[in-house]
Amino acid sequence: MTTDAHDPATLAFYDAEAVPYAARRAAEGTWALDGFLTRLGLGARILELGCGGGQDAAVMVAAGFDVTPTDGSPGLAEVAERRLGRPVRVMRFDELDDVAAYDAVWANACLLHVPEDALSDVLRRVHTALVPGGLFQASFKAGSGGGRDSLGRYYNFPSAASLEAAYRAAGPWTVLEFTASSGGGYDGVQRDWLLVSASK
Ligand code: SAM
């Protein structure tokens, strides 16, 4: 069952699967992460949402950024802590309440688990957490509305139009760009993805 603000079954899946899930990929740059980091100044404060096993945080730390990794699964946060050798905050997206605290927010393949009706509120929290001009990058599996994969994880599966509406409702963005791509997932299914780059 999905609550208003998060899906307990999805977080329970990641908790139970933390060790094998975290082992699925290496800590190395991706075209999306590398492109994001080149737009930031040295030492920029980056909030990472849904950091999973900490692979992207490890790349950002190694590149000299001031990273705050977070995840809603205590099990994955613990695995990420071991990888990073630093604390990882256990925080659900709907618990974010920082104000103008970050130069950037990195949310790779994680806000796709936010219940459709709660997505605008979470995006508004991200907007509030950014300084003016701050960057925000997130990725979503595209579709035509919420549902579950074969592993029981909930996804919001937005269309480009519904995703844009959720962002626009969350606050004014000076830049809002959508890039379509395709890719796989832990369930082995190839899907269409939407990458969203926003600037406050
Ligand atoms: N960003 C990581 C990566 O790219 O490897 C992990 C992506 S994984 C598909 C989704 C992550 O979002 C998991 O680490 C999961 O624990 C986290 N997550 C799911 N729902 C969440 C919620 N409501 N609040 C915070 N984290 C959540």
Side-chain angles (χ1 to χ4, degrees):
M1 171 181 158
T2 300
T3 71
D4 285 351
H6 76 284
D7 184 59
T10 299
L11 279 175
F13 167 85
Y14 284 110
D15 236 25
E17 199 76 1
V19 171
Y21 185 80
R24 86 197 190 288
R25 54 173 283 225
E28 58 192 13
T30 60
W31 65 268
L33 180 59
D34 295 346
F36 176 71
L37 297 180
T38 58
R39 298 164 63 204
L40 297 173
L42 192 63
R45 295 161 298 171
I46 305 174
L47 170 67
E48 183 176 15
L49 298 174
C51 72
Q55 289 92 340
D56 289 348
V59 171
M60 294 189 268
V61 168
F65 293 100
D66 177 3
V67 186
T68 301
T70 68
D71 199 280
S73 155
L76 269 170
E78 194 181 319
V79 175
E81 278 188 354
R82 284 203 293 273
R83 183 190 300 276
L84 297 167
R86 61 170 68 190
V88 171
R89 187 172 160 198
V90 178
M91 184 189 79
R92 292 195 321 264
F93 309 131
D94 55 296
E95 295 174 318
L96 174 62
D97 60 3
D98 293 313
V99 178
Y102 301 102
D103 302 302
V105 174
W106 175 250
N108 188 61
C110 59
L111 297 181
L112 37 61
H113 293 309
V114 177
E116 286 175 284
D117 291 349
L119 185 57
S120 261
D121 177 67
V122 168
L123 297 175
R124 184 186 54 74
R125 289 172 184 275
V126 171
H127 188 276
T128 302
L130 285 168
V131 298
L135 302 184
F136 172 31
Q137 193 152 313
S139 51
F140 297 82
K141 291 184 180 183
S144 55
R148 293 187 187 273
D149 70 2
S150 61
L151 303 174
R153 296 178 296 178
Y154 171 86
Y155 287 83
N156 40 41
F157 290 133
S159 65
S162 68
L163 191 55
E164 179 169 358
Y167 270 79
R168 299 253 180 240
W173 305 97
T174 56
V175 175
L176 188 56
E177 292 173 352
F178 297 79
T179 305
S181 67
S182 70
Y186 198 58
D187 62 356
V189 177
Q190 195 76 10
R191 291 184 183 272
D192 294 331
W193 285 73
L194 290 164
L195 178 73
V196 190
S197 290
S199 207
K200 180 171 174 177

